[in-house]
Amino acid sequence: MTKIIKTQATGRNGQIDFEIKLTGNHIDDLEVTKNVETPGIFNQVVDKLKTQVINEQSFDVDAISGASIMTQAMLDAGKKALTENGVDTTTTSKAKEHQNVTLDVDVAVIGSGMAGLMAACRALSLGKKVLVLEKNGYLGGATILNGSNVVGTGSKLSVSIFGEEAKRDTPELLVQDIRRECRGTNDAGLSNLLAENIGKAVDFITEFATLTYQKAETQTIEHSVDRQIEMPTASSYELITKVAEAFTQKGGQILQETRVEKLNKNEKGELVSLIAESKYQTTKVNFKSLVLAAGGWGARDYQEHKTTIPYYGPMTSTGDYFDFAKNMDLVARNLDWYKVYPHGLEVEPGIAKLTTYSTKEASDMGAIFVNTNGQRIVNESAPYTHFRDAIAAQKDKLAFVIMDQRMWDRFYELLLKYGFTQDEVQGFFDLDGKKSPILVSGNLKVVAQKVGINYANLQKTLAEYEEAVKVGKDSEFERPAQFMHKYEGDTYYVIEQKLRFCTTLGGYETNKHLQLLTTDFNPVPNFYAAGEIIGGANGHDSMPSMMNSWSYASGFIAGTEAADNANFSQSHLVSRETVNVVSGASTK
């Protein structure tokens, strides 16, 4: 007879409700009925956790690396629920013995974000044996939080999507936009590499993984032409899943929950192997080329209170591989640069989620930004850097979007599309403005009082804005008339907007082949890099879609170069008696 036990756990972001389905004392299934976790991560780890529990017929299994808070909470809750219901599951599992394994590959890649997967897919397509090593129990790195938005400059795909408009876009124009947005702080060589290769990378991965792209729903003002594309679902989870599946189906190998701890050189000083540790296996990997695509260090700086800006990236972006390679004398730059965005909702202290797409749409429909004093602070149709600087200038580093019903309906639609759930949003409303995240509705006086905005000033601000709409001229901020629209009805919605960051913009330096360099600017033999771990391509401020674009382009280049290097590498002819040159990637 089938029995269902309902229970709940406290995850990383809130409550997880799930059901344990049993026949007698046999665990048949686990089904999550409610959660507010990051979908791209949760969807991966919950399936893995369910498989482990069912296979072992026990909740006494290991939590999943990189998602240990939520998975351990579910394991503890499941075990308690079975005990309270008198269920005695009998496990037949045996104690796992630690194994030592040796793998020989042409190209090894550290990191499974889009940069790492792109490099791996590219090298595999060139006939190489490729292995990806990922320290977490899920794939995607920071990409899993960034959506699938990317630029298509120079791609055949863009021509098919934008038609004649695509001809207006060129690599030179993209570089100009990059330079303007970051105020000339970019590395010109890397920006050129990005612009010249992004189209090739997009066309390559589209065919390799049978991806579908369309014109992105939001074309942001920072880009001087329409060039932003995304998958129809806009889902980075779908992107990562499809690319990883294509990679493994075509012969690539991925080891998850496997942390690289040592790199080894041969007697010529060339990198030739690594040692990686997982819970039950030590893996030695002999390679001809190594690509480091291990991401940034935003979570580390957040945890060490080096910044007060709310963080919305993965908590596993701890910069392990900057410590990991400290003995290699690699040259790095601008390690205090963060990509700071506006449009953040602080869902818990110090942790934000993005509302970029929702806010942009509401702004296009006429919504205004005000501060606690009830005054407008910015041209709401200006580039994101203007929003960022305007919010940073407020004493409380806080702003609010004021919306009517029609604006809110569209705003809410896009919240659900880009990472929020209905239950989560309702939870914000339930807080009733008493603490962050602030999201309230009601007449103007009610919302002002709930949020703590100066009501008299807010009335005055809206009256002045309505007059500006009538005459078609914003004398205060020079907002274009086409984005100024009268508010309708007596119901208003107010949502907070804070600064937020996920990715870091500094990092290691490379040459044009994306080989990592020592402090005397000599390339390290057989060692390449891709993605966020390289600093400079976007300078101090990246345009929307450009962090993803750098991961695509740099991964494509690094994979190509690593494959070419493997063709000519003589490392395999040298004795494999190696010397450990770097150890202790992380003991955290």
Side-chain angles (χ1 to χ4, degrees), residues 396-531:
D396 53 7
K397 302 293 187 290
L398 184 62
F400 302 94
V401 183
I402 310 297
M403 292 174 281
D404 62 16
Q405 187 67 53
R406 65 186 178 83
M407 297 172 191
W408 165 253
D409 289 343
R410 180 61 174 151
F411 190 99
Y412 180 58
E413 179 185 349
L414 291 177
L415 280 182
L416 299 185
K417 185 174 181 179
Y418 291 99
F420 290 82
T421 67
Q422 292 180 345
D423 289 339
E424 186 177 19
V425 176
Q426 184 58 52
F428 302 155
F429 276 114
D430 292 343
L431 295 172
D432 206 30
K434 292 181 174 62
K435 67 175 185 176
S436 188
I438 293 170
L439 177 52
V440 300
S441 65
N443 65 45
L444 192 62
K445 185 174 183 179
V446 166
V447 296
Q449 289 175 340
K450 286 184 176 181
V451 174
I453 297 175
N454 185 302
Y455 173 54
N457 285 348
L458 183 58
Q459 277 186 306
K460 183 172 181 283
T461 294
L462 281 170
E464 291 173 348
Y465 177 70
E466 185 169 337
E467 184 61 29
V469 172
K470 286 181 181 178
V471 300
K473 181 175 175 58
D474 177 17
S475 57
E476 186 174 12
F477 290 105
E478 299 184 355
R479 186 180 188 180
Q482 67 263 35
F483 299 120
M484 297 169 60
H485 303 283
K486 181 180 178 179
Y487 280 68
E488 300 175 0
D490 298 322
T491 299
Y492 293 86
Y493 290 79
V494 178
I495 186 168
E496 73 177 30
Q497 297 282 265
K498 293 186 176 182
L499 302 179
R500 59 183 168 84
F501 85 102
C502 167
T503 45
T504 42
L505 290 168
Y508 285 133
E509 294 203 39
T510 69
N511 60 17
K512 66 180 182 180
H513 304 290
L514 297 193
Q515 286 179 286
L516 286 156
L517 304 175
T518 60
T519 51
D520 55 6
F521 290 92
N522 289 321
V524 180
N526 304 334
F527 205 11
Y528 300 83

Side-chain angles (χ1 to χ4, degrees), residues 62-91:
D62 293 319
I64 296 172
S65 299
S68 57
I69 292 176
M70 69 176 85
T71 53
Q72 188 60 59
M74 290 183 68
L75 291 172
D76 292 343
K79 185 176 181 179
K80 181 180 179 183
L82 292 186
T83 300
E84 290 177 345
N85 283 272
V87 177
D88 179 20
T89 57
T90 302
T91 178

Side-chain angles (χ1 to χ4, degrees), residues 149-154 158 162-178 180 215-216 218-229 543-546:
N149 204 294
V150 68
V151 302
T153 303
S158 274
F162 295 106
E164 289 297 312
E165 176 76 5
K167 295 180 181 178
R168 294 180 53 210
D169 193 16
T170 63
E172 293 76 18
L173 183 59
L174 179 56
V175 171
Q176 287 179 26
D177 289 349
I178 292 171
R180 183 195 64 248
K215 180 178 179 179
T218 300
Q219 299 292 318
T220 59
I221 194 172
E222 289 83 355
H223 294 272
S224 56
V225 295
D226 287 354
R227 58 164 72 105
Q228 291 161 281
I229 60 177
M543 297 187 293
S545 303
M546 293 310 296

Side-chain angles (χ1 to χ4, degrees), residues 573-586:
L573 300 179
V574 181
S575 170
R576 286 292 182 183
E577 293 297 322
T578 56
V579 178
N580 173 28
V581 293
V582 185
S583 63
S586 174

Side-chain angles (χ1 to χ4, degrees), residues 176-379:
Q176 287 179 26
D177 289 349
I178 292 171
R179 184 168 59 245
R180 183 195 64 248
E181 181 68 12
C182 72
R183 301 170 188 173
T185 57
N186 59 307
D187 179 297
L190 291 180
S191 297
N192 285 327
L193 279 177
L194 190 167
E196 291 164 1
N197 286 277
I198 183 59
K200 300 174 188 175
V202 165
D203 285 338
F204 163 73
I205 203 65
T206 299
E207 180 179 354
F208 183 91
T210 318
L211 303 179
T212 300
Y213 285 91
Q214 64 183 23
K215 180 178 179 179
E217 194 162 10
T218 300
Q219 299 292 318
T220 59
I221 194 172
E222 289 83 355
H223 294 272
S224 56
V225 295
D226 287 354
R227 58 164 72 105
Q228 291 161 281
I229 60 177
E230 64 186 0
M231 300 181 73
T233 61
S235 169
S236 54
Y237 172 62
E238 180 187 7
L239 170 68
I240 292 297
T241 300
K242 286 188 172 181
V243 171
E245 285 179 352
F247 173 69
T248 54
Q249 287 171 1
K250 295 181 181 183
Q253 184 178 1
I254 299 175
L255 295 181
Q256 294 185 50
E257 297 191 85
T258 302
R259 183 188 295 274
V260 177
E261 294 288 353
K262 298 178 182 178
L263 298 182
N264 298 300
K265 291 181 178 179
N266 61 20
E267 55 265 40
K268 286 188 174 182
E270 300 169 323
L271 284 178
V272 292
S273 70
L274 61 82
I275 304 296
E277 297 288 351
S278 58
K279 291 169 184 172
Y280 303 108
Q281 182 171 300
T282 297
T283 306
K284 180 181 180 183
V285 181
N286 298 316
F287 55 77
K288 299 175 183 176
S289 299
L290 176 64
V291 178
L292 183 62
W297 61 95
R300 180 181 65 183
D301 282 9
Y302 154 71
Q303 290 168 333
E304 295 178 357
H305 306 291
K306 291 184 178 179
T307 176
T308 59
I309 301 170
Y311 178 67
Y312 74 100
M315 299 311 295
T316 54
S317 290
T318 51
D320 296 345
Y321 296 97
F322 285 89
D323 297 330
F324 175 76
K326 61 186 178 182
N327 296 332
M328 298 187 69
D329 198 29
L330 299 178
V331 61
R333 65 163 131 198
N334 308 126
L335 298 184
D336 58 347
W337 281 9
Y338 310 122
K339 175 51 194 173
V340 179
Y341 283 97
H343 311 153
L345 191 64
E346 191 173 17
V347 295
E348 60 179 282
I351 299 296
K353 291 181 74 170
L354 64 88
T355 66
T356 302
Y357 303 104
S358 297
T359 304
K360 173 67 168 60
E361 191 79 3
S363 297
D364 287 351
M365 296 173 71
I368 63 172
F369 266 58
V370 303
N371 58 17
T372 307
N373 203 34
Q375 298 167 320
R376 282 178 70 201
I377 62 172
V378 72
N379 169 1

